[in-house]
Amino acid sequence: TQTLLEVASLSDWSSTMYGAMDITSPGQSPARNANAQYALYFVGFVILGGFLLINLFVGVLCDHINLQRGVVFLTDGQRRWIALQKTLSIIRPRLLCAAPRS
């Protein structure tokens, strides 16, 4: 998992990819580009991980901006009006039922 974290953070991920590409059978010494298909895994992981990370960052940023947009740019009178509207939406008038006549 530490290797995938290193690749996802783009911290010298290419040396990890080249090391994986040099892997051979157990008991044999590494050979340059012995398994070049491993590069597809790393490149795919970087591309998908990068998109996921960028989308997550942009989503959190947009959500934070949307939360702040409604409050930051209001005057005190507007804030009091919104608070009053919220209070009035919570409070409901009591329904008075007529007493039975019999």
Side-chain angles (χ1 to χ4, degrees):
T1 58
Q2 183 179 359
T3 304
L4 293 179
L5 180 63
E6 180 181 332
V7 172
S9 67
L10 301 177
S11 173
D12 197 26
W13 68 275
S14 60
S15 64
T16 306
M17 179 186 70
Y18 291 134
M21 288 171 53
D22 295 343
I23 293 174
T24 58
S25 301
Q28 294 182 352
S29 61
R32 187 176 185 108
N33 296 333
N35 288 307
Q37 67 271 15
Y38 289 169
L40 295 174
Y41 171 77
F42 283 93
V43 171
F45 187 83
V46 166
I47 290 172
L48 291 177
F51 283 136
L52 185 71
L53 192 62
I54 288 171
N55 283 335
L56 181 65
F57 177 73
V58 170
V60 168
L61 184 65
C62 289
D63 190 39
H64 183 70
I65 288 172
N66 285 334
L67 286 175
Q68 294 298 322
R69 184 181 301 163
V71 178
V72 174
F73 301 114
L74 297 178
T75 64
D76 287 333
Q78 290 171 331
R79 287 188 184 129
R80 284 194 308 266
W81 176 256
I82 290 174
L84 178 65
Q85 293 296 318
K86 286 181 182 178
T87 304
L88 290 176
S89 70
I90 294 171
I91 298 174
R92 300 281 181 206
R94 292 185 121 186
L95 182 62
L96 298 176
C97 298
R101 295 186 184 183
S102 55

